[in-house]
């Protein structure tokens, strides 16, 4: 759904060789939202755990940015409302531990 907020796990499942990758791809094909924090977490995992080069990780993240709306979850006044809405949605979807 276009209104879904995806955490880093969903994005990283795209790199998996299991049914999780297919499910993540299907979810993200419909669009959605990710945060700059998610992008940063995915970048770290692409480099450290998946062994990607900086260029490979950049190309992967470029595709993610093209598929999803990216929001900044900083605490500044201008973004506080967006952050709160994204966090509320994550809690409703059970994406917060």
């Amino acid at each position: 759904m276009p209104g879904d907020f995806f955490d880093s796990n969903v994005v990283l499942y795209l790199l998996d060789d299991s049914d999780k990758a297919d499910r993540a791809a299907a979810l993200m094909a419909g669009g959605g939202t990710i945060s700059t924090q998610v992008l940063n977490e995915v970048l770290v995992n692409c480099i450290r755990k998946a062994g990607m080069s900086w260029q490979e990780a950049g190309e992967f993240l470029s595709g993610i940015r093209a598929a999803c709306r990216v929001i900044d979850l900083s605490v500044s006044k201008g973004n506080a409302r967006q952050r709160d809405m994204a966090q509320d949605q994550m809690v409703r979807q059970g994406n917060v531990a």
Side-chain angles (χ1 to χ4, degrees):
M1 291 182 196
D4 286 342
F5 184 92
F6 301 115
D7 69 8
S8 57
N9 290 321
V10 174
V11 177
L12 290 168
Y13 287 148
L14 294 171
L15 302 174
D16 199 69
D17 288 333
S18 71
D19 293 339
K20 289 180 181 180
D22 296 333
R23 180 69 177 133
L27 286 170
M28 295 185 77
T33 303
I34 58 173
S35 68
T36 53
Q37 178 181 341
V38 167
L39 288 174
N40 289 333
E41 290 172 4
V42 170
L43 175 63
V44 168
N45 280 281
C46 285
I47 300 295
R48 291 186 182 167
K49 294 186 179 179
M52 290 182 171
S53 68
W54 283 96
Q55 182 175 349
E56 291 168 329
E59 290 170 3
F60 176 70
L61 289 175
S62 178
I64 301 303
R65 286 192 305 270
C68 297
R69 181 174 71 113
V70 179
I71 58 171
D72 179 11
L73 295 183
S74 68
V75 185
S76 70
K77 269 188 170 180
N79 293 321
R81 179 73 178 134
Q82 283 184 326
R83 181 207 60 224
D84 293 343
M85 288 173 48
Q87 288 175 341
D88 287 346
Q89 184 172 5
M90 288 171 60
V91 169
R92 284 193 306 272
Q93 294 175 349
N95 291 333
V96 175

